Amino acid sequence: NFTNLSTLRSNSYGLSFLHRQLDYLPNPTKGFLLNSEISAGSRKSQLNDTSLVERSTIYSSSIQIDIFVPLTARNVLHIANKTNLYYAPVIFQNEVLRFGGQATLRGFNEEELYATLSTVFSIEYRFLLDRNSHIFAFFDQGIYENNSAIYYKDHPYGFGAGLSFGTNIGMFSISYGLGKQFGDPVLIRNGKIHFGYIAYF
């Protein structure tokens, strides 16, 4: 249940840095990518049951690292990390970070997890079918905390396999993942099917 909600208005400024050194962008076999952002700004907040408006300073940052290691001509290891942080003197439940799903933590519904700090480590084995296609097996390990209301933390993980293939209009991927969080068991019936699409121009 959401009990710590507020009407919010924020304005932030930041910097971003991207460095990419990959041998073939649609389906890399070696190289690395680094993408980072940091921002700071001001926020006006008003609790839903009051007329008092408070002003505060907010900060956010994110970093993404991808490393591709060629094992043999057709076997590639993809190692990655995505970390996100949001900070404010008081954090409301309707401004927390949301993650989970195809682009962050596979084996979970899209953006079903709520956090003020999250990091996801991924390791993925790829077998290249051709220059634009591969099959893969993955393991994603997440660690996060949420201090917007009652503080809690967890270390969910997801694992599974899938296929990525190239077409004339972009790269498509489909995968099946199982996830585990808190003390819940891994159940086949709770598996998730993820679809992805990336267009290159």
Side-chain angles (χ1 to χ4, degrees):
N1 294 329
F2 294 98
T3 58
N4 182 28
L5 303 175
S6 176
T7 300
L8 302 167
R9 177 176 295 178
S10 60
N11 188 19
S12 296
Y13 299 90
L15 297 171
S16 64
F17 173 81
L18 171 64
H19 181 74
R20 184 170 58 204
Q21 187 174 329
L22 302 172
D23 62 338
Y24 181 57
L25 182 59
N27 194 23
T29 61
K30 64 179 178 180
F32 69 94
L33 178 147
L34 171 62
N35 188 16
S36 62
E37 298 180 5
I38 186 170
S39 66
S42 61
R43 180 191 68 186
K44 294 181 180 179
S45 58
Q46 179 181 349
L47 292 177
N48 291 344
D49 56 353
T50 71
S51 59
L52 179 64
V53 176
E54 294 186 348
R55 292 175 172 81
S56 54
T57 302
I58 57 175
Y59 304 92
S60 66
S61 64
S62 67
I63 184 168
Q64 175 183 349
I65 301 172
D66 291 86
I67 302 172
F68 297 87
V69 181
L71 302 177
T72 65
R74 302 184 70 176
N75 296 275
V76 177
L77 192 63
H78 176 204
I79 304 169
N81 173 259
K82 296 179 181 177
T83 299
N84 292 279
L85 168 68
Y86 179 79
Y87 173 79
V90 176
I91 301 177
F92 300 98
Q93 287 174 280
N94 55 319
E95 63 177 341
V96 296
L97 307 168
R98 301 182 64 177
F99 72 107
Q102 165 69 16
T104 50
L105 184 60
R106 292 163 287 189
F108 293 85
N109 291 326
E110 292 296 321
E111 299 186 341
E112 75 166 288
L113 303 173
Y114 298 82
T116 51
L117 168 65
S118 69
T119 185
V120 178
F121 297 91
S122 300
I123 184 167
E124 183 176 286
Y125 162 75
R126 297 180 174 184
F127 178 78
L128 304 183
L129 301 175
D130 55 42
R131 191 166 189 247
N132 293 302
S133 307
H134 63 267
I135 56 175
F136 59 90
F138 66 86
F139 180 84
D140 298 336
Q141 175 67 65
I143 303 170
Y144 76 95
E145 63 178 28
N146 187 335
N147 56 15
S148 62
I150 299 174
Y151 175 84
Y152 64 90
K153 62 180 179 180
D154 192 26
H155 43 84
Y157 64 83
F159 60 94
L163 166 68
S164 179
F165 56 94
T167 69
N168 292 333
I169 59 174
M171 295 286 293
F172 288 87
S173 67
I174 180 172
S175 62
Y176 175 81
L178 294 167
K180 178 177 174 59
Q181 62 175 324
F182 298 111
D184 300 336
V186 176
L187 299 175
I188 298 297
R189 68 172 180 265
N190 292 335
K192 311 299 180 186
I193 297 176
H194 303 289
F195 296 93
Y197 168 68
I198 301 176
Y200 294 97
F201 301 96

